[in-house]
PDB file of all heavy atoms in Angstrom:
ATOM      1  N   GLY A  65    -101.786 -38.095 -23.837  1.00  0.00           N
ATOM      2  CA  GLY A  65    -101.361 -38.487 -25.172  1.00  0.00           C
ATOM      3  C   GLY A  65    -101.807 -37.545 -26.267  1.00  0.00           C
ATOM      4  O   GLY A  65    -101.305 -37.612 -27.387  1.00  0.00           O
ATOM      5  N   GLY A  66    -102.744 -36.636 -25.947  1.00  0.00           N
ATOM      6  CA  GLY A  66    -103.182 -35.683 -26.944  1.00  0.00           C
ATOM      7  C   GLY A  66    -102.258 -34.499 -27.102  1.00  0.00           C
ATOM      8  O   GLY A  66    -102.493 -33.631 -27.944  1.00  0.00           O
ATOM      9  N   THR A  67    -101.196 -34.451 -26.295  1.00  0.00           N
ATOM     10  CA  THR A  67    -100.213 -33.373 -26.398  1.00  0.00           C
ATOM     11  C   THR A  67     -98.884 -33.936 -26.886  1.00  0.00           C
ATOM     12  O   THR A  67     -98.579 -35.119 -26.682  1.00  0.00           O
ATOM     13  CB  THR A  67     -99.987 -32.689 -25.045  1.00  0.00           C
ATOM     14  OG1 THR A  67     -99.334 -33.616 -24.149  1.00  0.00           O
ATOM     15  CG2 THR A  67    -101.306 -32.246 -24.432  1.00  0.00           C
ATOM     16  N   ARG A  68     -98.102 -33.095 -27.514  1.00  0.00           N
ATOM     17  CA  ARG A  68     -96.792 -33.537 -28.004  1.00  0.00           C
ATOM     18  C   ARG A  68     -95.919 -34.030 -26.857  1.00  0.00           C
ATOM     19  O   ARG A  68     -95.268 -35.068 -26.972  1.00  0.00           O
ATOM     20  CB  ARG A  68     -96.113 -32.393 -28.749  1.00  0.00           C
ATOM     21  CG  ARG A  68     -94.676 -32.678 -29.127  1.00  0.00           C
ATOM     22  CD  ARG A  68     -94.104 -31.607 -30.020  1.00  0.00           C
ATOM     23  NE  ARG A  68     -92.650 -31.680 -30.049  1.00  0.00           N
ATOM     24  CZ  ARG A  68     -91.880 -31.033 -30.921  1.00  0.00           C
ATOM     25  NH1 ARG A  68     -92.434 -30.261 -31.842  1.00  0.00           N
ATOM     26  NH2 ARG A  68     -90.574 -31.135 -30.877  1.00  0.00           N
ATOM     27  N   THR A  69     -95.913 -33.317 -25.739  1.00  0.00           N
ATOM     28  CA  THR A  69     -95.087 -33.722 -24.599  1.00  0.00           C
ATOM     29  C   THR A  69     -95.528 -35.082 -24.067  1.00  0.00           C
ATOM     30  O   THR A  69     -94.705 -35.958 -23.785  1.00  0.00           O
ATOM     31  CB  THR A  69     -95.165 -32.674 -23.480  1.00  0.00           C
ATOM     32  OG1 THR A  69     -94.668 -31.422 -23.976  1.00  0.00           O
ATOM     33  CG2 THR A  69     -94.340 -33.097 -22.271  1.00  0.00           C
ATOM     34  N   GLY A  70     -96.840 -35.264 -23.928  1.00  0.00           N
ATOM     35  CA  GLY A  70     -97.344 -36.523 -23.404  1.00  0.00           C
ATOM     36  C   GLY A  70     -97.103 -37.680 -24.346  1.00  0.00           C
ATOM     37  O   GLY A  70     -96.731 -38.779 -23.912  1.00  0.00           O
ATOM     38  N   PHE A  71     -97.279 -37.457 -25.655  1.00  0.00           N
ATOM     39  CA  PHE A  71     -97.085 -38.555 -26.591  1.00  0.00           C
ATOM     40  C   PHE A  71     -95.607 -38.887 -26.747  1.00  0.00           C
ATOM     41  O   PHE A  71     -95.253 -40.055 -26.952  1.00  0.00           O
ATOM     42  CB  PHE A  71     -97.707 -38.243 -27.950  1.00  0.00           C
ATOM     43  CG  PHE A  71     -97.956 -39.481 -28.767  1.00  0.00           C
ATOM     44  CD1 PHE A  71     -99.039 -40.297 -28.494  1.00  0.00           C
ATOM     45  CD2 PHE A  71     -97.091 -39.860 -29.782  1.00  0.00           C
ATOM     46  CE1 PHE A  71     -99.271 -41.459 -29.220  1.00  0.00           C
ATOM     47  CE2 PHE A  71     -97.310 -41.017 -30.512  1.00  0.00           C
ATOM     48  CZ  PHE A  71     -98.403 -41.818 -30.235  1.00  0.00           C
ATOM     49  N   LEU A  72     -94.737 -37.899 -26.622  1.00  0.00           N
ATOM     50  CA  LEU A  72     -93.303 -38.184 -26.660  1.00  0.00           C
ATOM     51  C   LEU A  72     -92.914 -39.091 -25.498  1.00  0.00           C
ATOM     52  O   LEU A  72     -92.122 -40.032 -25.670  1.00  0.00           O
ATOM     53  CB  LEU A  72     -92.497 -36.894 -26.608  1.00  0.00           C
ATOM     54  CG  LEU A  72     -90.982 -37.066 -26.440  1.00  0.00           C
ATOM     55  CD1 LEU A  72     -90.389 -37.934 -27.550  1.00  0.00           C
ATOM     56  CD2 LEU A  72     -90.288 -35.706 -26.380  1.00  0.00           C
ATOM     57  N   GLN A  73     -93.463 -38.851 -24.317  1.00  0.00           N
ATOM     58  CA  GLN A  73     -93.178 -39.740 -23.188  1.00  0.00           C
ATOM     59  C   GLN A  73     -93.633 -41.157 -23.489  1.00  0.00           C
ATOM     60  O   GLN A  73     -92.950 -42.138 -23.159  1.00  0.00           O
ATOM     61  CB  GLN A  73     -93.862 -39.220 -21.925  1.00  0.00           C
ATOM     62  CG  GLN A  73     -93.594 -40.068 -20.681  1.00  0.00           C
ATOM     63  CD  GLN A  73     -92.112 -40.172 -20.379  1.00  0.00           C
ATOM     64  OE1 GLN A  73     -91.430 -39.161 -20.199  1.00  0.00           O
ATOM     65  NE2 GLN A  73     -91.595 -41.395 -20.322  1.00  0.00           N
ATOM     66  N   TYR A  74     -94.775 -41.279 -24.157  1.00  0.00           N
ATOM     67  CA  TYR A  74     -95.273 -42.597 -24.551  1.00  0.00           C
ATOM     68  C   TYR A  74     -94.336 -43.243 -25.562  1.00  0.00           C
ATOM     69  O   TYR A  74     -94.051 -44.447 -25.486  1.00  0.00           O
ATOM     70  CB  TYR A  74     -96.674 -42.425 -25.130  1.00  0.00           C
ATOM     71  CG  TYR A  74     -97.489 -43.689 -25.225  1.00  0.00           C
ATOM     72  CD1 TYR A  74     -97.915 -44.352 -24.089  1.00  0.00           C
ATOM     73  CD2 TYR A  74     -97.873 -44.194 -26.460  1.00  0.00           C
ATOM     74  CE1 TYR A  74     -98.701 -45.494 -24.170  1.00  0.00           C
ATOM     75  CE2 TYR A  74     -98.651 -45.331 -26.556  1.00  0.00           C
ATOM     76  CZ  TYR A  74     -99.063 -45.973 -25.406  1.00  0.00           C
ATOM     77  OH  TYR A  74     -99.835 -47.111 -25.497  1.00  0.00           O
ATOM     78  N   MET A  75     -93.847 -42.476 -26.516  1.00  0.00           N
ATOM     79  CA  MET A  75     -92.874 -42.987 -27.480  1.00  0.00           C
ATOM     80  C   MET A  75     -91.613 -43.480 -26.767  1.00  0.00           C
ATOM     81  O   MET A  75     -91.028 -44.514 -27.137  1.00  0.00           O
ATOM     82  CB  MET A  75     -92.523 -41.901 -28.505  1.00  0.00           C
ATOM     83  CG  MET A  75     -93.640 -41.602 -29.492  1.00  0.00           C
ATOM     84  SD  MET A  75     -93.487 -39.981 -30.319  1.00  0.00           S
ATOM     85  CE  MET A  75     -91.809 -40.053 -30.965  1.00  0.00           C
ATOM     86  N   GLN A  76     -91.181 -42.755 -25.748  1.00  0.00           N
ATOM     87  CA  GLN A  76     -90.023 -43.180 -24.959  1.00  0.00           C
ATOM     88  C   GLN A  76     -90.314 -44.497 -24.252  1.00  0.00           C
ATOM     89  O   GLN A  76     -89.450 -45.388 -24.180  1.00  0.00           O
ATOM     90  CB  GLN A  76     -89.661 -42.097 -23.934  1.00  0.00           C
ATOM     91  CG  GLN A  76     -89.165 -40.793 -24.522  1.00  0.00           C
ATOM     92  CD  GLN A  76     -87.684 -40.836 -24.862  1.00  0.00           C
ATOM     93  OE1 GLN A  76     -87.181 -41.844 -25.362  1.00  0.00           O
ATOM     94  NE2 GLN A  76     -86.986 -39.752 -24.608  1.00  0.00           N
ATOM     95  N   ASN A  77     -91.527 -44.639 -23.732  1.00  0.00           N
ATOM     96  CA  ASN A  77     -91.896 -45.894 -23.072  1.00  0.00           C
ATOM     97  C   ASN A  77     -91.859 -47.065 -24.055  1.00  0.00           C
ATOM     98  O   ASN A  77     -91.380 -48.157 -23.725  1.00  0.00           O
ATOM     99  CB  ASN A  77     -93.292 -45.773 -22.465  1.00  0.00           C
ATOM    100  CG  ASN A  77     -93.360 -44.795 -21.316  1.00  0.00           C
ATOM    101  OD1 ASN A  77     -92.337 -44.455 -20.710  1.00  0.00           O
ATOM    102  ND2 ASN A  77     -94.562 -44.305 -21.012  1.00  0.00           N
ATOM    103  N   LEU A  78     -92.389 -46.849 -25.258  1.00  0.00           N
ATOM    104  CA  LEU A  78     -92.386 -47.913 -26.266  1.00  0.00           C
ATOM    105  C   LEU A  78     -90.976 -48.246 -26.709  1.00  0.00           C
ATOM    106  O   LEU A  78     -90.676 -49.407 -27.031  1.00  0.00           O
ATOM    107  CB  LEU A  78     -93.237 -47.510 -27.462  1.00  0.00           C
ATOM    108  CG  LEU A  78     -94.681 -48.026 -27.509  1.00  0.00           C
ATOM    109  CD1 LEU A  78     -94.721 -49.549 -27.656  1.00  0.00           C
ATOM    110  CD2 LEU A  78     -95.480 -47.590 -26.307  1.00  0.00           C
TER     111      LEU A  78
END
Side-chain angles (χ1 to χ4, degrees):
T67 68
R68 172 172 163 167
T69 299
F71 200 78
L72 172 57
Q73 181 58 57
Y74 197 67
M75 288 160 53
Q76 294 277 40
N77 293 340
L78 263 294

